[in-house]
Amino acid sequence: YLTDLTFADGADGAGVYVTHLFSGEGPTRRAYATAITYYKARGDGDESGATSTVQAFLEYYTNKTRVVYGALSPALRAVTGPSRGLGVPDDFETTSISSLLTV
């Protein structure tokens, strides 16, 4: 079950999407995550014309935060995400945006 807020600025679907994900039905229904997606976003000062797609996935009951990268502009020099500043953790997993839709 999804509820969405959409801030799109073009016919190509570019924009920001906030999705609240729920599981269960009726009285057992509960929110379990929020996904914030920047789809085909244009970076400030990026004159390449390329866009980037990035999604932050916030799980409520596990306290996990995942940042998922789709297509990225070649003008980006660095990619960031949640970190303790200690390098790549042993349990680090890469995730595609499409795999999150099968939760």
Side-chain angles (χ1 to χ4, degrees):
Y1 182 85
L2 305 172
T3 60
D4 292 311
L5 296 171
T6 302
F7 305 95
D9 66 357
D12 63 353
V16 178
Y17 298 84
V18 179
T19 304
H20 303 287
L21 298 117
F22 296 84
S23 63
E25 295 292 328
T28 63
R29 183 177 151 225
R30 69 178 190 159
Y32 73 89
T34 295
I36 304 162
T37 306
Y38 288 85
Y39 180 70
K40 294 184 179 181
R42 291 169 186 80
D44 289 339
D46 183 349
E47 297 179 14
S48 72
T51 61
S52 299
T53 296
V54 179
Q55 183 178 72
F57 193 77
L58 314 168
E59 295 180 30
Y60 305 138
Y61 298 101
T62 63
N63 292 321
K64 287 184 181 179
T65 299
R66 290 186 273 176
V67 178
V68 183
Y69 299 95
L72 297 176
S73 168
L76 290 176
R77 301 268 187 240
V79 176
T80 62
S83 172
R84 293 185 183 107
L86 303 173
V88 178
D90 293 335
D91 61 349
F92 177 78
E93 296 178 29
T94 58
T95 308
S96 69
I97 289 176
S98 61
S99 72
L100 296 177
L101 298 176
T102 61
V103 173

